[in-house]
């Protein structure tokens, strides 16, 4: 699963990306420094793996991961090819969700592409470009559906749906903020609209604002997120970049000094994982302790298929104990003796934190 980090030039995208991946994406105080998207795969923070590792002493530990893509800054007119607009839009089409970094700090040394800080204007700039690109797609699909309608009345519902979405976009409402039936959602998914992708707004603040709850830019962005039904969090990209350079012990001490339990990056990675509707189930043994990524609502055979396709085809049952019960009992054998290991069939819907042993025929 991929998340695209987007925003106007010089809002802190590449600084945040550097902090997330420690990949050293190039940065400079001018637009379009990031031309080709930088890609980084990062682990999802999960303390459960460490606890299971203490129990099983495995040869290796493998966390779940999320892929982040740092996409070139966008300016007005991107949908018409201005700046690096065509590259920006093509790269966004390839991601599953968007982390939209919005500048919520003043700094005379960092040039703002529009001359001043304004979260609502910045969000509108990007949203409008995505809307314009989606309107072009919709107009083509409406024309096609109307031609098909002449020979088959079943396309009437398709025309009406696409025109409703078009009307909403023309009012400045992104597709993700609209309500659809299951049947309509299936049709919308086939459009691959940019504005249908889930969004997490990241309010990038200065270090001076970390201990303040009176940043008017943050409140402005929070109101926008609430109206759109989008997620929103506050982060200081520059500080997170500094924290990312520390070793584990230094990092822990530094966070304690700031009065924080975890870094903003850990929260961002976790929020991004949730934004995609993902969850983890766990496997544990002397060879490996591992978190496996699946979509919420996945059934046991399909979860087994994430490990190996043969396990899905030959699925017999899943022997499951919840992580909390396993830790409380101290071992798998003790959990089994306490009746806490369940045998689940092919209709079982996996739950967050299930520790699983799949039984299957080869």
């Amino acid at each position: 699963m991929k998340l695209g980090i987007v925003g106007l030039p010089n809002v802190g995208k590449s600084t945040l990306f550097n902090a997330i991946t420690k990949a050293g994406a190039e940065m400079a105080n001018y637009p379009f420094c990031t031309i080709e998207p930088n890609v980084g795969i990062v682990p999802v923070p999960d303390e459960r793996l460490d606890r299971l590792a203490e129990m099983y002493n495995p040869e290796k530990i493998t966390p779940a991961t999320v892929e982040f893509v740092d996409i070139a800054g966008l300016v007005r007119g991107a949908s018409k090819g201005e700046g690096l607009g065509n590259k920006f839009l093509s790269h966004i089409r390839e991601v599953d969700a968007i982390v939209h970094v919005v500048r919520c700090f003043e700094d005379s040394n960092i040039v703002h592409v529009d001359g001043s800080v304004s979260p609502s204007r910045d969000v509108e700039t990007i949203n409008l470009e995505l809307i314009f690109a989606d309107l072009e797609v919709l107009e083509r699909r409406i024309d096609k559906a109307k031609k098909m309608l002449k020979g088959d009345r079943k396309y009437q519902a398709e025309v009406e749906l696409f025109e409703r979405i078009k009307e909403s976009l023309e009012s400045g409402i992104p597709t993700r903020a609209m309500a659809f039936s299951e049947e309509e959602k299936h049709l919308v998914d086939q459009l691959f609209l940019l504005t249908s992708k889930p969004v997490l707004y990241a309010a990038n603040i200065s270090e001076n604002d970390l201990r303040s709850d009176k940043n008017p830019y943050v409140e402005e962005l929070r109101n926008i997120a609430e109206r759109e039904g989008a997620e929103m969090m506050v982060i200081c990209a520059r500080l997170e970049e500094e924290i990312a350079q520390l070793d584990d012990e230094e990092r822990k001490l530094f966070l304690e000094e700031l009065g924080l339990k975890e870094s903003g990056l850990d929260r961002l990675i976790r929020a991004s994982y949730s934004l995609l509707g993902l969850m983890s189930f766990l496997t544990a043994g002397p060879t490996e302790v591992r978190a496996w990524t699946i979509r919420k609502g996945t059934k046991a055979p399909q979860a087994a298929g994430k490990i190996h396709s043969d396990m899905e085809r030959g699925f017999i049952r899943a022997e499951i104990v919840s992580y909390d019960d396993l830790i409380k009992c101290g071992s798998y054998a003790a959990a089994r003796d306490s009746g806490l290991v369940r045998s689940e069939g092919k209709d079982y819907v996996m739950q967050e934190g299930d520790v699983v042993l799949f039984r299957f025929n080869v």
Side-chain angles (χ1 to χ4, degrees), residues 25 44 49 136 151 158 180 237 250 271 276 293 309 316 333 345 351 354:
V44 177
L49 297 180
E136 287 186 14
E158 197 169 299
F180 300 107
E250 289 175 326
L276 291 169
T293 300
S309 56
I316 299 173
Q351 301 299 309
D354 280 345

Side-chain angles (χ1 to χ4, degrees), residues 137-168 178 180 183-184 187-188 191:
V137 171
L138 275 168
E139 284 166 3
R140 289 196 297 270
R141 289 300 300 268
I142 290 170
D143 287 344
K144 180 180 178 181
K146 283 183 175 178
K147 288 175 183 175
M148 300 296 288
L149 181 60
K150 293 176 182 177
D152 191 339
R153 298 302 298 174
K154 74 177 184 181
Y155 286 95
Q156 181 64 41
E158 197 169 299
V159 170
E160 291 174 0
L161 172 64
F162 294 166
E163 287 185 335
R164 175 156 62 92
I165 296 172
K166 182 172 179 282
E167 184 178 333
S168 175
M178 297 181 65
F180 300 107
E183 188 176 340
E184 288 174 336
L187 285 170
V188 173
L191 295 172

Side-chain angles (χ1 to χ4, degrees), residues 299-313:
K299 292 186 177 180
Q302 289 69 51
K306 292 292 290 185
I307 300 175
H308 198 287
S309 56
D310 287 348
M311 295 176 73
E312 182 174 357
R313 281 194 295 269

Side-chain angles (χ1 to χ4, degrees), residues 126-141:
I126 286 187
N127 280 351
L128 283 177
E129 296 307 323
L130 301 185
I131 283 172
F132 290 149
D134 281 352
L135 284 171
E136 287 186 14
V137 171
L138 275 168
E139 284 166 3
R140 289 196 297 270
R141 289 300 300 268

